[in-house]
Amino acid sequence: DAGVIQSPRHEVTEMGQEVTLRCKPISGHNSLFWYRQTMMRGLELLIYFNNNVPIDDSGMPEDRFSAKMPNASFSTLKIQPSEPRDSAVYFCASRTVPQETQYFGPGTRLLVL
Amino acid sequence: AQSVTQLGSHVSVSEGALVLLRCNYSSSVPPYLFWYVQYPNQGLQLLLKYTSAATLVKGINGFEAEFKKSETSFHLTKPSAHMSDAAEYFCAVSDRDSGGSNYKLTFGKGTLLTVNP
């Protein structure tokens, strides 16, 4: 299995631009998670999907952030407009239900100038 | 809400020495507990997990952890450190939803392990 796939691996953009991060979960996994990792705040859960339906988006910081999961094999996290404080590593993870282990992708390193 | 405390943001050991990384959790129900490892510029990889079976859990790369309910602890150990163990280690506890299907992980701040030759 290829594992969780994220793209791009690195993104550099200017403040105000739209950023779209992509994730392909492991085939057969029913749940998908988006996390953000920064030095100051550590790992934060942004949003969680179960069977393509958003279950908990309480971690989404602002309306500038949105996430979708149009089908079981693809999810996006969009930031519009982006700000320098959004600079972080964004991870996607997936798991089967009710299996508890989450499998993480390699992350997208975002730098907003 | 559950929480996880990792004591020591940075632990340094000599190669061949015992590794001990501490994790304490708060939980009102029997928890599921995890240790993940993150190597530089990579995602998180599962080391081991506790799911209410044996209290001593063995994981990959020679690591193990012991669940102690009375101490609300889940410390990670390895008898002999290797240079390749240098990484950041995260302890996590799983929040159960109303349906009883554990779904959300709460992570500790992480402990950076340095192994000196």
Side-chain angles (χ1 to χ4, degrees):
Chain A
D1 200 313
V4 176
I5 299 172
Q6 292 187 247
S7 65
R9 292 294 309 276
H10 302 273
E11 177 82 22
V12 181
T13 190
E14 292 187 347
M15 182 174 63
Q17 295 299 305
E18 178 180 294
V19 175
T20 300
L21 311 181
R22 297 172 176 80
C23 175
K24 177 179 170 56
I26 294 173
S27 178
H29 282 196
N30 304 88
S31 300
L32 183 141
F33 304 79
W34 282 101
Y35 292 89
R36 178 172 67 176
Q37 185 179 37
T38 61
M39 290 291 292
M40 292 297 294
R41 300 174 68 90
L43 267 166
E44 303 172 276
L45 176 65
L46 300 177
I47 187 169
Y48 151 69
F49 293 86
N50 194 21
N51 293 321
N52 313 336
V53 176
I55 302 298
D56 183 353
D57 65 355
S58 59
M60 295 286 264
E62 298 172 32
D63 291 345
R64 298 185 296 107
F65 285 69
S66 63
K68 294 183 179 180
M69 192 165 186
N71 57 62
S73 59
F74 183 66
S75 177
T76 59
L77 178 67
K78 187 174 295 186
I79 308 173
Q80 168 62 25
S82 58
E83 296 182 3
R85 59 194 168 119
D86 301 331
S87 298
V89 182
Y90 291 81
F91 288 104
C92 177
S94 70
R95 73 170 177 98
T96 58
V97 175
Q99 173 58 257
E100 308 84 9
T101 300
Q102 292 184 23
Y103 296 88
F104 283 75
T108 295
R109 189 171 297 272
L110 174 65
L111 178 61
V112 183
L113 301 173
Chain B
Q2 313 223 32
S3 66
V4 176
T5 302
Q6 290 185 241
L7 296 176
S9 59
H10 188 193
V11 170
S12 183
V13 301
S14 298
E15 191 172 20
L18 171 72
V19 175
L20 170 61
L21 304 181
R22 300 178 187 274
C23 173
N24 288 88
Y25 66 92
S26 69
S27 173
S28 58
V29 297
Y32 282 25
L33 294 158
F34 303 79
W35 276 100
Y36 280 86
V37 59
Q38 185 180 27
Y39 298 103
N41 299 316
Q42 295 187 27
L44 279 71
Q45 177 184 359
L46 181 70
L47 268 181
L48 50 81
K49 65 180 180 182
Y50 167 76
T51 56
S52 73
T55 56
L56 182 63
V57 182
K58 295 187 183 298
I60 62 171
N61 302 337
F63 283 92
E64 62 182 37
E66 186 173 7
F67 171 68
K68 292 187 177 180
K69 184 178 179 180
S70 61
E71 299 177 6
T72 60
S73 69
F74 191 57
H75 301 331
L76 181 71
T77 60
K78 181 174 180 177
S80 176
H82 191 273
M83 296 295 289
S84 61
D85 294 326
E88 189 154 23
Y89 292 80
F90 293 90
C91 182
V93 63
S94 187
D95 270 327
R96 296 189 185 199
D97 63 11
S98 57
S101 173
N102 298 330
Y103 72 89
K104 187 171 74 172
L105 291 179
T106 299
F107 285 88
K109 295 292 187 184
T111 298
L112 182 65
L113 176 67
T114 302
V115 182
N116 304 308

